[in-house]
Amino acid sequence: MIGKFRVYPKEDGFVSFIWLIFILIPIIAMFPYDTFDKQLALFTLGIFVVTYRNCLFNGKWFPFWMALMYGISLFYTIYFGYIYLFIYPAWMIGFIPMKKHVFKYYYIALLCMLTPVPFSLSRLPEYVTQDLKITIFVYGFFICAAPFAGRSIRKQAELRKQIYQSTQRMEYVIKQEERYRIARDLHDTLGQSLSIMTIKAELAGKLVDKDQELAKKEIAEVAETSRGTLQTVREIVSSMRHVLIAEEMITIEKSLRDAKIILSTEGEELTGEIATDLQNTVSYCLRECVTNVIRHSRASHCRIIIEKSGVNYTFTVEDDGKGMKDLIQGNGLTGLKERIESICGKLEFTQKNGMKVLFTVPVDKKKEKIHD
């Protein structure tokens, strides 16, 4: 079965073809195509575009297409002075995933192709001015550096992808742990209570005809156990409504990423020891702070720091945006302050090179911990 033909790789999209707009420079410069040399050059340029497209797929013919791209770039450099065509293969060997020793071979080949360039400048037409020759040298240095820049950008993109995948896995693990906790609570509490109720109900059924008073006592104990079990169910449902800081951080990271804001954090490992009901309030406060960053700060970076000192936890949310010259209470700051004060905490705002929100909450050791 013949596979579906693709003009460009699905993962890269059409954006990889935008750079071909620079091909218009030699096309326009050679117009009109009234000589065989110009017609041959235009045909060669068409082959170059096809070669560039094939290299994007990084298939088994990649070395052949790269060699052809090198050759056409050298041809245009020697006969027309269009050295910038080398930018395409230079960036290509940087962006295409390849092992370090393979990258080295392609880079050495690129340098070898550039070697004849200084000697070919004297063969350029008279209309090529001295300034243009200097420009060619500048392009040459840029081309030599482009593979390393492309390789660095590709590694950064791969790192961001790995971080995103790691975040997705973390989100799945947190949800699974919460399911296991609920299942464990149901088994340890409801399972035992229901077993006791079953035994007592069966015993009461046997005692109805023999000893009604004892049977009534057993039924009363069943009712009491049922009420206790109902209260346990309510407590489990109530705990399910709590939002953990770790869960909220995942949502925060997604929101900031959608807003093109880079998030960095410190001290996230401390959240596991904070009481569950306290985490619910802190999660809301962090969400409100980050919402203000997204809506009003125009920042490019956001930093969340969690610290423990003595009897307090300190949470800091800071950004590098424009700040807020007038703290408008309608931005959720009133509700934020009320929530912090409801857990005996303190809230502070400072502005220097952006906005900084700092709030402290007391360490409540009497509360139930997450990992208990």
Side-chain angles (χ1 to χ4, degrees), residues 73-119:
S73 300
L74 182 61
F75 167 75
Y76 265 82
T77 301
I78 294 176
Y79 288 96
F80 300 99
Y82 298 142
I83 189 175
Y84 56 82
L85 281 184
F86 271 111
I87 294 177
Y88 291 97
W91 278 97
M92 188 70 69
I93 63 177
F95 275 111
I96 295 297
M98 61 179 66
K99 295 182 179 179
K100 190 174 182 179
H101 69 277
V102 177
F103 169 80
K104 181 176 66 175
Y105 294 147
Y106 280 111
Y107 187 73
I108 292 175
L110 177 66
L111 295 180
C112 292
M113 288 291 178
L114 291 174
T115 302
V117 173
F119 304 100

Side-chain angles (χ1 to χ4, degrees), residues 132-360:
L132 183 55
K133 293 180 179 180
I134 295 175
T135 303
I136 291 175
F137 272 111
V138 173
Y139 269 111
F141 284 112
F142 177 77
I143 290 168
C144 292
F148 298 99
R151 195 169 176 85
S152 176
I153 293 174
R154 180 179 59 81
K155 287 183 178 180
Q156 290 296 324
E158 291 178 350
L159 180 61
R160 288 193 295 269
K161 183 178 179 180
Q162 291 174 3
I163 293 175
Y164 173 77
Q165 292 174 341
S166 177
T167 302
Q168 295 295 106
R169 288 192 292 268
M170 187 184 302
E171 182 179 4
Y172 174 78
V173 169
I174 290 175
K175 289 180 179 179
Q176 285 295 106
E177 289 181 351
E178 185 66 11
R179 292 190 185 100
Y180 293 151
R181 184 186 69 82
I182 296 171
R184 186 170 58 251
D185 289 346
L186 291 174
H187 178 271
D188 295 344
T189 56
L190 297 184
Q192 182 180 3
S193 299
L194 292 174
S195 297
I196 294 174
M197 291 168 61
T198 301
I199 294 173
K200 287 186 173 294
E202 291 177 349
L203 179 60
K206 294 178 181 179
L207 293 174
V208 168
D209 297 329
K210 298 180 180 180
D211 191 340
Q212 293 185 358
E213 291 299 324
L214 187 57
K216 290 180 181 179
K217 181 180 178 182
E218 293 294 338
I219 293 175
E221 291 181 0
V222 169
E224 182 65 26
T225 303
S226 176
R227 283 190 289 270
T229 302
L230 179 60
Q231 180 62 30
T232 301
V233 171
R234 288 172 177 170
E235 291 175 357
I236 293 175
V237 172
S238 177
S239 67
M240 290 172 61
R241 294 174 180 172
H242 289 158
V243 179
L244 305 182
I245 296 176
E247 296 174 330
E248 189 61 40
M249 290 298 291
I250 294 174
T251 304
I252 287 173
E253 194 276 334
K254 287 182 178 179
S255 300
L256 289 173
R257 185 174 65 246
D258 293 340
K260 310 299 182 184
I261 300 175
I262 300 174
L263 172 67
S264 60
T265 63
E266 295 181 16
E268 281 193 66
E269 65 278 0
L270 296 175
T271 60
E273 62 186 52
I274 302 176
T276 306
D277 55 347
L278 194 62
Q279 289 205 43
N280 191 56
T281 302
V282 171
S283 296
Y284 170 85
C285 296
L286 290 174
R287 184 190 319 138
E288 186 61 40
C289 291
V290 170
T291 299
N292 283 334
V293 171
I294 295 173
R295 290 181 178 176
H296 309 290
S297 71
R298 298 182 184 175
S300 58
H301 291 79
C302 179
R303 189 180 181 198
I304 298 178
I305 305 172
I306 305 173
E307 299 173 303
K308 182 180 180 181
S309 57
V311 295
N312 290 321
Y313 289 106
T314 303
F315 298 84
T316 305
V317 181
E318 55 186 7
D319 61 73
D320 60 352
K322 65 176 184 178
M324 296 174 64
K325 296 181 180 180
D326 300 319
L327 291 178
I328 305 172
Q329 298 299 314
N331 287 335
L333 302 181
T334 301
L336 181 62
K337 184 177 180 181
E338 291 175 352
R339 286 194 178 246
I340 293 296
E341 291 178 349
S342 70
I343 54 176
C344 303
K346 296 180 180 180
L347 179 67
E348 298 178 11
F349 299 93
T350 58
Q351 298 190 70
K352 185 178 180 181
N353 299 324
M355 186 73 177
K356 182 177 181 180
V357 181
L358 185 147
F359 55 92
T360 59

Side-chain angles (χ1 to χ4, degrees), residues 44-72:
T44 306
L45 203 58
I47 297 177
F48 183 87
V49 173
V50 174
T51 302
Y52 173 81
R53 175 262 175 194
N54 292 342
C55 284
L56 291 174
F57 287 88
N58 193 22
K60 64 179 181 178
W61 291 96
F62 179 79
F64 169 76
W65 295 120
M66 281 298 300
L68 186 57
M69 193 181 295
Y70 278 156
I72 296 175

